[in-house]
Amino acid sequence: MAKIIPFKAVRPTRDKVSLVASRSYQSYTQAEREARLDYNPYSFLHIVNPGYKYDKEISGKERYQLVKNRYSEFKEDNVFIQDDLASFYIYKIVDRDRQVFNGIVAAASVEDYKNDIIKKHEDTIETREIIFKDYLKTVGFNAEPVLLTYPDNESLTEIINNVQKERAEFEFTTTYRDTHYLWKIDTKDELNAIIQAFAQMQTLYIADGHHRSSSSLLLQDDLKSKTSKPTGNETYNYFMSFLIPESELKLHEFNRLIKDLNGLTKEEFLIQLDAMYRIENRGLMPYKPSKKHHFSMYLDSEFYSLYLRKPNYKFKTSLDKLDAQLLYKTILKPILGIDDLRSNNRIDYLSGKRDIVNLKSKVDSGEFKVGFGMIPATIDQMKAIADDGLKMPPKSTYIEPKLRSGVTIYEF
């Protein structure tokens, strides 16, 4: 039984939400960040990059404390105001391609994550978990919800549709031409209906935010040990989430870029590749695969198609059927010598949402020697891997929607 509860969000005022909301810090180029920090005093980037005020790069615990200070200043200046009543928040995004995402911002249970009611499909890195836990503990808030997905549910769809007939609390369009809407639900009947709908679900799945989820578990353990008489209702027992029906989740692939051929010549590399794949030279025309277990490859100014020789590969588990794992087990590790995908600096990743020409450009620049493209994983593959207790390789999926930071904030 999944436990989802309302919470009192800290939110920007209606007149400033479009100025506050930001993408994740890492998604901006340095020039983009500096422009926003120079000309927009309300950007959430001022909070997460507090050293900009002093023209200094600040890291570690010193940065965490300054983040907390900047956040307090935004509250003192009434840029942020906390809701009086615990609420659910209906969130809608219409992106530039007219793709529509509808979901519910709520607090999800850390215990559900711990007990595998909220299932994961990716490994996490312990050092990153600890860093983010320490960050959360110091700043006392989280501004980026974990993306969870649930089976399509008629009662939740009806609630969402009815709420959206009213005027939205927030409506703003970004420079990316995505339009964001937010409605607040705080009436008892509607709150209970949402709680009960999720209580009938056996499982939820993490789509994006594995490190945020695991860090919340570490934070719970830390803060619970310092609470004299814990009740189970403390805010640290939950983490902010955006819950979206499976049918509206959009999965893209991550293409792979490799810096060298592991000491092989082009001809030696192709000969080794031939053992597992039927190779066809596609020439200069950009090529993108259309089937599972097929890959595109860009090498030495030419595109190739790679078709798996299926008798030579055994599909023993749900993970073995994942193309990102297949590429790793048949090419990246045995031929190109990339064993640890998390730490090897010879590999990089490019979101498949970008055109295959971007992969070509990266290789043509000389930064990389070869690039591989694939088709996206499916939601059923992601769930099967999670259900089997297995973990995808890093950067197996690029998942949408991507929410803006600073629109709803969860305080501990």
Side-chain angles (χ1 to χ4, degrees), residues 90-143:
I90 305 301
Y91 204 111
K92 176 181 177 180
I93 303 172
V94 182
D95 71 13
R96 63 193 301 170
D97 299 319
R98 308 309 297 170
Q99 175 84 33
V100 180
F101 305 98
N102 296 281
I104 300 171
V105 179
S109 168
V110 174
E111 288 298 316
D112 282 357
Y113 173 80
K114 183 177 181 180
N115 296 325
D116 211 31
I117 293 172
I118 296 175
K119 293 195 173 185
K120 41 255 179 216
H121 64 265
E122 283 187 7
D123 274 330
T124 53
I125 301 171
E126 185 179 5
T127 54
R128 286 186 61 190
E129 293 175 349
I130 294 171
I131 287 170
F132 194 58
K133 183 269 290 185
D134 291 341
Y135 170 83
L136 293 175
K137 184 179 178 181
T138 301
V139 303
F141 70 86
N142 188 9

Side-chain angles (χ1 to χ4, degrees), residues 24 59 66 95 97 101 122 136 158 162 189 198 201-202 205 219 276 283 291 305 315 323 333 355 357 373 391:
S24 65
S59 61
L66 288 177
D95 71 13
D97 299 319
F101 305 98
E122 283 187 7
L136 293 175
E158 183 178 359
N162 287 337
D189 289 346
F198 282 110
M201 298 180 189
Q202 298 297 318
Y205 294 85
L219 182 69
M276 290 298 297
K291 295 181 180 180
S305 58
F315 297 102
D323 281 350
K333 182 178 179 179
D355 195 275
V357 174
K391 301 293 184 294

Side-chain angles (χ1 to χ4, degrees), residues 44-110:
F44 195 77
L45 293 176
H46 283 286
I47 293 176
V48 295
N49 186 28
Y52 189 79
K53 180 177 181 180
Y54 304 105
D55 194 27
K56 180 182 178 183
E57 286 290 333
I58 301 173
S59 61
K61 293 183 178 180
E62 184 181 18
R63 173 178 169 263
Y64 304 164
Q65 186 58 51
L66 288 177
V67 168
K68 182 177 181 180
N69 294 347
R70 294 293 86 74
Y71 176 65
S72 296
E73 289 168 5
F74 270 52
K75 291 181 71 175
E76 291 164 3
D77 294 339
N78 292 321
V79 176
F80 286 137
I81 298 175
Q82 187 166 30
D83 286 326
D84 294 327
L85 300 174
S87 306
F88 289 123
Y89 303 88
I90 305 301
Y91 204 111
K92 176 181 177 180
I93 303 172
V94 182
D95 71 13
R96 63 193 301 170
D97 299 319
R98 308 309 297 170
Q99 175 84 33
V100 180
F101 305 98
N102 296 281
I104 300 171
V105 179
S109 168
V110 174

Side-chain angles (χ1 to χ4, degrees), residues 2-7 88-92 101-109 112 117-118 145-151 156-157 160 194-195 197-199 201 203-208 239-249 401 403:
K3 186 174 183 180
I4 301 297
I5 65 169
F7 69 101
F88 289 123
Y89 303 88
I90 305 301
Y91 204 111
K92 176 181 177 180
F101 305 98
N102 296 281
I104 300 171
V105 179
S109 168
D112 282 357
I117 293 172
I118 296 175
V146 172
L147 183 62
L148 300 179
T149 188
Y150 61 87
L156 289 175
T157 299
I160 290 171
I194 292 173
I195 291 170
F198 282 110
M201 298 180 189
T203 307
L204 302 173
Y205 294 85
I206 299 174
D208 191 21
F239 57 93
M240 184 169 65
S241 300
F242 180 49
L243 297 110
I244 185 171
E246 291 175 3
S247 63
E248 295 190 21
L249 200 65
L403 270 69

Side-chain angles (χ1 to χ4, degrees), residues 325-339:
Q325 178 74 356
L326 174 62
L327 186 71
Y328 169 68
K329 291 185 70 174
T330 60
I331 302 177
L332 300 184
K333 182 178 179 179
I335 300 177
L336 294 177
I338 297 175
D339 190 6

Side-chain angles (χ1 to χ4, degrees), residues 375-387:
I375 67 169
T378 66
I379 181 67
D380 288 337
Q381 282 184 297
M382 186 185 82
K383 289 171 60 179
I385 289 168
D387 289 342

